Amino acid sequence: MKDELRAFCESFIRNRDIIKSTFKMENATVATVCANRFAKLGIDADAEKLKECRRILREKTGVFSNFRGTLELPITTMMASKTSSEAFLERTIEIYNELKAAFHSSTHLIMAAAAMAEMVPSGDVSDRIARGKEIYNRMKKEHSFLTNYEDTIFAMLLAFSEKDIDTLINEQEVAFKTLKESIKPDLNSLQSATHILSITNGEIEDKCMKINEIFTNLKNNGRKYSKYYEFPVLAVLADSDMSAYDVVMDMLDADAFLATQKGYGFFGVTKDVRLMHAALLVSDMISGNEISDNGIADITTLAETLAMVAAEQATTAAILVSITASTSVTH
C-alpha cells in the first residue's frame, strides 16, 4: 500500500472517530461520510468547534427545519471546516431560501445551498439558480420518470460548468446509453453518474471506457462493484490520469485497510459501501485539491462534491432501510 494512501486512510479513520466520539448518538454511517472532508483538507476535526457549530446551527434553525435530522451533521461538518462558521451558515440559509423560490422545498436543496455557499461569488446566486433550473428542466425532459427532486442538487452543481447546456445534456445521454448497455446499473444511479461524467473534462466516450475498465478490473480481482447508490463514485475516478488498473489496485489496498478498522468488519457496513468509501479515498488522494473559504478549487473537486452527494444518498438509503427493518420488527 502506498504511504500516501495509507496516511490518507488513517486520517479518514481518525476523523471518523473524532466525529463519532463527539456526537455519540449520531448515525455512524453519516459520520463516516463527513470524515472525508477533514481528511481531504489534511486536518483533524476539532471536537469543540464541531460542538459549537452544532449549537449555532440549532440556534439559527427551528426544530422542524430541513437543516435538522440526517443533514444536521453534514452541515455542521461543513461549518467546522470554515474559518467563519456562522457566516457560512447564514449564507447557506439565504441561498436555500432563494432555491425554495425556484424549486419545491426539500432536504436536497439544503446540500445544494451549502455547496453553493462554498462556490458561488456574491451577486452570482440568482444567475446560477436560473441556469440550474434550466438544466433541471432539460434533465426532466430527457428522463421524466428518473428525474426528481433528488436531482436538484446535481442540476445546481452542473450550473457551475462552463460547458453550454446542450453539451452537458448530450454528454449525459451518450454516457447513459453507453453504460446502460455495458454495465446495466440501476437507472437512477446511472443518471447520477452521468451528471458527474458530464461536468468533468475529457472525452465522454473515454470516460465511459475508463469506468468499464475499472468495473472489469475489480471483477477480475474478485470484487463486484455495486450497480446501485455506490455506482456514481466511479465517475470521478474516470477523470483521473491513472490507469484503470492502478486505480483498482489503490481501491483494493484502501478497501483492505478499511476492512481492518472498527465499523468495517463483519458487523459493520456492507462490502459494497466499504468499497465505495475506498473509491472516495482514492479519488481524493489522486486529486489533492483543497476546499477553501474562497470556493472549490477546480472541476475535479466539484465532481467529487457531486460524488459525495451520491454517497450521502447511499447513506440516506441505508438509514431508511434500517429504520424500515426496525419498524417491521416492532410491529
Side-chain angles (χ1 to χ4, degrees):
M1 186 179 192
K2 296 175 183 174
D3 290 342
E4 181 185 4
L5 180 57
R6 177 178 291 279
F8 198 95
C9 290
E10 289 173 347
S11 173
F12 172 73
I13 293 297
R14 190 165 59 248
N15 278 290
R16 180 204 64 174
D17 291 345
I18 292 171
I19 294 171
K20 286 175 63 179
S21 63
T22 304
F23 303 121
K24 293 181 173 61
M25 300 302 293
E26 196 63 67
N27 181 277
T29 311
V30 178
T32 300
V33 173
C34 291
N36 193 73
R37 166 169 286 258
F38 293 109
K40 184 171 179 59
L41 289 169
I43 61 175
D44 284 351
D46 183 325
E48 292 306 312
K49 187 168 185 180
L50 281 166
K51 291 177 183 177
E52 176 63 12
C53 288
R54 171 167 282 192
R55 183 194 65 77
I56 293 171
L57 176 61
R58 290 183 171 181
E59 184 181 273
K60 298 280 185 180
T61 59
V63 175
F64 300 106
S65 168
N66 282 336
F67 280 83
R68 299 294 190 89
T70 305
L71 290 181
E72 186 174 70
L73 184 55
I75 297 299
T76 297
T77 300
M78 294 180 79
M79 291 171 63
S81 67
K82 299 294 179 184
T83 54
S84 302
S85 304
E86 189 166 353
F88 170 75
L89 175 62
E90 289 173 349
R91 187 147 195 263
T92 298
I93 293 172
E94 180 182 326
I95 294 173
Y96 173 63
N97 289 331
E98 287 197 49
L99 283 168
K100 285 196 298 183
F103 300 92
H104 292 299
S105 177
S106 74
T107 55
H108 297 95
L109 288 184
I110 301 290
M111 290 307 298
M116 291 178 69
E118 285 194 318
M119 294 182 284
V120 182
S122 299
D124 288 354
V125 172
S126 296
D127 289 342
R128 294 290 183 182
I129 291 176
R131 178 172 163 82
K133 181 69 173 180
E134 185 177 355
I135 291 171
Y136 177 83
N137 289 339
R138 288 289 302 277
M139 288 160 51
K140 188 74 174 174
K141 181 180 179 182
E142 296 295 333
H143 297 283
S144 59
F145 293 107
L146 292 178
T147 306
N148 54 44
Y149 283 99
E150 286 188 2
D151 295 291
T152 303
I153 184 169
F154 289 104
M156 289 310 310
L157 293 178
L158 283 165
F160 286 89
S161 173
E162 293 182 359
K163 298 177 184 178
D164 61 75
I165 295 176
D166 284 339
T167 299
L168 285 170
I169 299 300
N170 289 339
E171 289 190 354
Q172 288 173 28
E173 287 306 298
V174 169
F176 192 92
K177 292 174 182 176
T178 301
L179 295 174
K180 180 182 178 182
E181 181 177 338
S182 60
I183 296 179
K184 301 178 176 61
D186 165 72
L187 295 183
N188 280 302
S189 301
L190 172 57
Q191 177 159 283
S192 295
T194 67
H195 299 332
I196 298 169
L197 289 169
S198 70
I199 205 170
T200 53
N201 297 315
E203 296 297 324
I204 194 68
E205 293 85 359
D206 293 340
K207 289 182 285 188
C208 289
M209 185 182 298
K210 186 78 161 285
I211 287 182
N212 280 314
E213 290 174 351
I214 292 172
F215 202 85
T216 300
N217 270 285
L218 283 168
K219 187 175 180 180
N220 290 341
N221 280 276
R223 294 300 303 273
K224 290 185 178 180
Y225 197 87
S226 173
K227 297 181 182 182
Y228 293 92
Y229 282 97
E230 296 83 5
F231 181 73
V233 179
L234 292 185
V236 179
L237 292 168
D239 190 49
S240 72
D241 291 331
M242 291 175 62
S243 70
Y245 176 82
D246 288 338
V247 166
V248 168
M249 292 301 102
D250 279 350
M251 281 179 62
L252 294 175
D253 282 343
D255 181 75
F257 173 90
L258 292 177
T260 66
Q261 303 299 310
K262 185 177 180 180
Y264 283 105
F266 184 78
F267 294 106
V269 300
T270 66
K271 288 184 178 180
D272 286 346
V273 172
R274 191 179 74 207
L275 193 57
M276 176 192 72
H277 289 173
L280 281 170
L281 290 171
V282 172
S283 171
D284 281 338
M285 185 201 69
I286 292 171
S287 68
N289 292 318
E290 295 184 354
I291 304 170
S292 70
D293 284 334
N294 294 322
I296 288 188
D298 63 18
I299 202 73
T300 303
T301 308
L302 182 55
E304 287 175 14
T305 303
L306 285 162
M308 283 301 295
V309 171
E312 283 161 7
Q313 288 178 338
T315 297
T316 302
I319 293 169
L320 290 175
V321 169
S322 176
I323 292 172
T324 301
S326 62
T327 302
S328 299
V329 171
T330 303
H331 296 287

